[in-house]
Amino acid sequence: MLNTEEIRKEFPILEQKVYGKPLVYLDNAATTQKPQSVIDAQNEVYTTFNANVHRGIHHLSQVATEAMEQARHTVREFIGAAHSHEVVFTRGTTESINLVASSFGGTFLKSGDEVIISAMEHHSNIVPWQMLRDRTGITLRIIPLTAECTLDIDAYKKLFNERTRLVCVTHVSNVLGVTNPVKEIIGIAHSHNVPVLIDGAQSTPHIKIDMQELDADFFAFSGHKVYAPTGIGVLYGKEKWLNAMQPYHGGGEMIKSVSFEKTTYNTLPYKFEAGTPDYAGIIALGKALEWVKSKGIENIAAHEHMLTQYAVEQLQKIEGMRIFGKPDGAAVSFLVGNIHPADMGTILDHLGIAVRTGHHCAQPLMGILGIPGTVRASFAAYNTKEEVDALVKGIERASRMFA
Ligand code: PMP
């Protein structure tokens, strides 16, 4: 069980008022707030040991390098990767997926090859593949949805053929809050000898991630959605794939030797980490994952699940309520009558309640659902049932205003 009252004290931002009302922050799927320990960790870098990593012989550089590599170890443990060098630091999920599209695509994919994605992907797991399609002539195949807004696994099985080279799906939908059966999806792909990339942006904060159990070939997530700072993220890749792939960015750190005639590349993970990394962000990401570990990801998941189920129950009582999909995670997307999501969001905002409205970077999914957007409430470890009640009251008030 989480002690939410105590947890809230660790998040200074939650103490503030918005328009004179206590802040009710229900936009966690967009980004989470940060505990003091994470804020302190980043400050500590700049106040006590800031120096560029890896290249320095001097004391500060060594301290910074050790702290950064310790954070890589923390990430490895957190996601159950076999090796620390399978953990590549990126700017976030978006960059991680672009890295795979560019490097895996550049190395292994050619015209006529097929990549499978799903109908519920975030734009960051659609557009990089379209860009690759435009460059190389690959074909995208789309896993459709069932009537219940889950992935149609039977249809997925039928998408495979001898040209299928990669499957890229999201673990948890950022719109529907639905968890996809990624283990089954990976198993099916592997039975065709096809590797799988999992977009873990919405699962890492809420589900125990274990690469040994999942057997994903690639796994991408963003630090900022799991209580860490913005601008830092992770690409996990199996050693065999990362070793075989061409680099993504070129520059310092990713090389072994450079001459005008020939460059040889560094070993993993540095081959994919050109330039000065965001070591302060990496160190703070390590702290954020330690914070999650200290509370217990299972406890966090159970708490968020309870809040989501409670929210669904309460929301369903509101006249004209339409909830999309069957959320089983930490987010719920809905519309009420004919109220435009932006109007609903604005009214809730004036009550101090932060929700996200719009297409949630999933326009193809909105097209399938036949709607321009939704209102999304999403939960984190520090949210409470009272906040769900405030949301429900706010929606009822908006409904009355528009009646
Ligand atoms: N995939 C999913 C499912 C997401 O929810 C998000 C963020 N909304 C992303 C990818 C992109 O994450 P980022 O903007 O941190 O790169």
Side-chain angles (χ1 to χ4, degrees), residues 367-385:
I368 292 165
L369 297 173
I371 51 173
T374 72
V375 182
R376 181 187 70 192
S378 53
F379 306 105
Y382 38 71
N383 289 124
T384 64
K385 270 177 116 171

Side-chain angles (χ1 to χ4, degrees), residues 120-334:
M120 62 165 82
E121 296 311 310
H122 187 278
H123 294 164
S124 62
N125 201 22
I126 301 174
V127 183
W129 304 111
Q130 290 175 326
M131 289 164 65
L132 186 68
R133 178 184 66 191
D134 296 344
R135 279 204 307 278
T136 63
I138 62 160
T139 301
L140 291 185
R141 308 291 301 272
I142 316 295
I143 311 170
L145 300 188
T146 65
E148 285 79 42
C149 288
T150 58
L151 291 184
D152 186 337
I153 299 298
D154 287 332
Y156 164 61
K157 289 178 185 162
K158 293 186 189 128
L159 293 179
F160 285 88
N161 60 46
E162 69 287 352
R163 293 182 304 274
T164 311
R165 295 286 175 266
L166 185 66
V167 173
C168 309
V169 290
T170 191
H171 197 165
V172 173
S173 161
N174 66 311
V175 177
L176 306 166
V178 170
T179 308
N180 291 321
V182 284
K183 197 165 177 211
E184 187 186 356
I185 288 169
I186 292 167
I188 293 165
H190 284 177
S191 73
H192 294 274
N193 282 324
V194 173
V196 181
L197 177 151
I198 299 296
D199 173 349
Q202 296 295 343
S203 61
T204 309
H206 313 293
I207 295 177
K208 171 91 191 98
I209 301 297
D210 183 355
M211 285 307 125
Q212 303 316 306
E213 204 223 326
L214 268 189
D215 203 23
D217 298 273
F218 301 101
F219 187 92
F221 72 94
S222 300
H224 70 95
K225 292 186 199 281
V226 58
Y227 309 103
T230 53
I232 189 67
V234 167
L235 173 69
Y236 160 83
K238 278 186 186 163
E239 180 181 38
K240 67 168 180 179
W241 290 117
L242 294 179
N243 267 328
M245 281 155 54
Q246 56 186 239
Y248 178 43
H249 292 150
E253 201 60 36
M254 52 77 74
I255 53 90
K256 240 186 207 141
S257 71
V258 178
S259 72
F260 285 118
E261 289 72 37
K262 186 174 164 53
T263 289
T264 55
Y265 300 127
N266 207 340
T267 50
L268 296 178
Y270 310 112
K271 177 176 136 184
F272 290 103
E273 293 181 353
T276 298
D278 177 7
Y279 48 87
I282 291 168
I283 291 163
L285 170 62
K287 261 283 181 272
L289 298 183
E290 279 168 19
W291 185 87
V292 170
K293 202 171 152 206
S294 75
K295 306 301 167 200
I297 185 85
E298 289 85 0
N299 297 331
I300 293 175
H303 176 73
E304 292 163 341
H305 186 71
M306 178 276 290
L307 289 178
T308 306
Q309 294 317 308
Y310 179 63
V312 168
E313 269 168 39
Q314 299 304 310
L315 290 172
Q316 271 166 347
K317 294 181 187 161
I318 297 172
E319 212 185 304
M321 174 61 64
R322 246 199 322 163
I323 292 174
F324 295 92
K326 289 203 180 80
D328 57 13
V332 52
S333 250
F334 57 87

